């Protein structure tokens, strides 16, 4: 059992420097990104496409920004959903840091973009009379924490904060890896493989629900489960489509729009779960997985 602990620790330790570097780069990007005179880009015909492309960028800072813009009626519902569905919180960072599974990022991003853009345009077409504000003054930054930190010293902003976030994510990842390692050790690899592969159509429903939890732990759990062979690719898609991170929290801060927010919450779950089931069904049909 000591080997299981050591393997989980070493696997996590290998990822730590890569995760830290990516977080430092993202902090630079978030700090320099604001929504000022370019806000009309997310109000035109290309809004869902641009919103989805923005959401793909690792971290949930842009979903936070989208939620703030939506509350001020500066973007439409379809555009908001495009950003939310494209967001993957910590997932891309973890996958990019994994040498063996980094290739998965490309199909993951492509599928999420297709889902986000399609849903964005469809919803905007259905609610084509939705009102938008055309005038905006001020600045909205894409900080993933949802709070402004303009007055922080550079060392804290660009090193201490990324380091703390890296350690937090790595702790979650270590725990996920350790738990899966213990399960395999106690019940056997064959039993685990049969149990997880048999859930091709149930897993997306569960992963989509986990993804809705507004914390980086949810995306780490889903991605970690995939890396450890715990869930299928389509199931990971389901969880990461619903994982808008802190963007959902910012949205629910507006208690006057609870019904609207609940409708968006439910739509995210249905779309994410459906996307995951479809992807798994295609993989099963192609003979990549066996559905029981």
């Amino acid at each position: 059992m000591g080997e299981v602990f050591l393997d989980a620790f070493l696997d996590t330790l290998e990822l730590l420097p890569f995760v830290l570097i990516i977080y430092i780069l993202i902090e630079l990007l978030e700090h320099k990104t604001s929504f000022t005179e370019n806000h009309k880009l997310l109000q035109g015909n290309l809004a869902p496409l641009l919103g989805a492309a923005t959401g793909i960028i690792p971290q949930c800072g842009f979903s936070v920004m989208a939620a703030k813009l939506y509350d001020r009626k500066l973007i439409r519902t379809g555009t908001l959903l495009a950003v939310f569905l494209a967001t993957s919180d910590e997932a891309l960072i973890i996958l990019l840091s994994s040498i063996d599974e980094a290739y998965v990022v490309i199909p993951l991003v492509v599928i999420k973009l297709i889902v986000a853009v399609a849903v964005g345009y469809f919803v905007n077409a259905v609610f084509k009379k939705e009102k938008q504000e055309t005038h905006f003054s001020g600045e909205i930054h894409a900080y993933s924490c949802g709070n402004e930190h303009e007055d922080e010293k550079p060392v804290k902003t660009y090193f201490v904060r990324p380091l703390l976030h890296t350690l937090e994510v790595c702790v979650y990842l270590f725990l996920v890896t350790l738990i899966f390692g213990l399960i395999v050790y106690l019940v056997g690899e064959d039993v685990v493989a049969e149990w997880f592969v048999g859930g091709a159509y149930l897993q997306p429903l569960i992963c989509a629900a986990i993804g809705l939890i507004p914390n980086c732990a949810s995306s780490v759990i889903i991605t970690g489960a995939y890396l450890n062979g715990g869930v299928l690719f389509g199931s990971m898609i389901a969880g990461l489509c619903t994982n808008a991170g802190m963007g959902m929290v910012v949205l629910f801060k507006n208690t006057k729009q609870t019904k609207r927010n609940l409708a968006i919450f439910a739509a995210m779950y249905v779309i994410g779960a459906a996307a995951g089931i479809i992807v798994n069904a295609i993989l099963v049909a192609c003979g990549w997985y066996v559905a029981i």
Side-chain angles (χ1 to χ4, degrees):
M1 191 172 292
E3 291 182 1
V4 175
F5 183 92
L6 182 61
D7 288 342
F9 178 76
L10 292 177
D11 288 344
T12 306
L13 193 62
E14 285 181 5
L15 298 180
L16 194 149
F18 298 103
V19 174
L20 177 59
I21 291 170
I22 295 173
Y23 272 132
I24 291 173
L25 294 174
I26 288 173
E27 192 65 46
L28 287 167
L29 178 64
E30 288 185 344
H31 195 78
K32 301 300 180 182
T33 303
S34 65
F35 188 82
T36 52
E37 66 274 0
N38 296 319
H39 70 279
K40 291 186 178 179
L41 289 173
L42 292 180
Q43 295 183 333
N45 294 329
L46 293 177
L49 178 61
L50 294 174
T54 301
I56 283 294
I57 298 172
Q59 265 290 353
C60 63
F62 292 100
S63 72
V64 169
M65 182 176 70
K68 292 178 180 179
L69 299 177
Y70 184 65
D71 254 355
R72 300 188 187 188
K73 296 183 179 180
L74 290 165
I75 62 173
R76 298 169 66 187
T77 304
T79 306
L80 175 75
L81 285 172
V83 176
F84 276 14
L85 290 166
T87 299
S88 299
D89 210 352
E90 321 295 337
L92 295 187
I93 297 170
I94 295 171
L95 290 172
L96 286 170
S97 301
S98 174
I99 298 174
D100 295 332
E101 296 291 339
Y103 71 93
V104 174
V105 169
I106 295 176
L108 172 65
V109 167
V110 169
I111 292 171
K112 281 173 64 67
L113 274 175
I114 291 172
V115 172
V117 173
V119 170
Y121 276 108
F122 175 77
V123 172
N124 277 354
V126 171
F127 298 103
K128 58 184 177 181
K129 294 184 179 180
E130 186 176 8
K131 293 182 179 180
Q132 281 184 268
E133 295 291 339
T134 55
H135 300 290
F136 172 72
S137 60
E139 235 177 9
I140 297 178
H141 283 281
Y143 296 132
S144 57
C145 58
N147 299 314
E148 307 294 321
H149 42 85
E150 290 284 354
D151 298 328
E152 287 182 353
K153 293 181 179 180
V155 173
K156 183 176 181 180
T157 299
Y158 300 119
F159 181 74
V160 176
R161 187 180 292 276
L163 178 60
L164 292 175
H165 207 158
T166 296
L167 293 174
E168 180 185 12
V169 168
C170 284
V171 167
Y172 288 137
L173 191 58
F174 166 73
L175 292 175
V176 172
T177 305
L178 179 61
I179 290 170
F180 274 97
L182 289 172
I183 292 173
V184 172
Y185 177 81
L186 293 172
V187 305
E189 222 172 292
D190 294 338
V191 176
V192 173
E194 182 179 344
W195 176 43
F196 284 122
V197 172
Y201 302 114
L202 178 61
Q203 281 182 15
L205 300 177
I206 299 172
C207 287
I210 294 173
L212 286 170
I213 300 171
N215 187 290
C216 67
S218 58
S219 62
V220 174
I221 289 170
I222 293 166
T223 311
Y226 173 78
L227 291 176
N228 285 280
V231 298
L232 305 177
F233 180 69
S235 308
M236 180 173 68
I237 290 286
L240 297 183
C241 276
T242 61
N243 192 256
M246 292 299 293
M248 196 67 74
V249 172
V250 173
L251 201 64
F252 271 92
K253 283 183 178 180
N254 185 348
T255 55
K256 294 180 180 180
Q257 295 288 347
T258 301
K259 290 183 178 179
R260 179 205 68 182
N261 297 339
L262 287 173
I264 292 172
F265 188 82
M268 289 282 291
Y269 177 78
V270 172
I271 294 165
I277 290 172
I278 291 170
V279 171
N280 275 350
I282 292 172
L283 295 177
V284 168
C286 292
W288 285 28
Y289 299 130
V290 177
I292 299 175

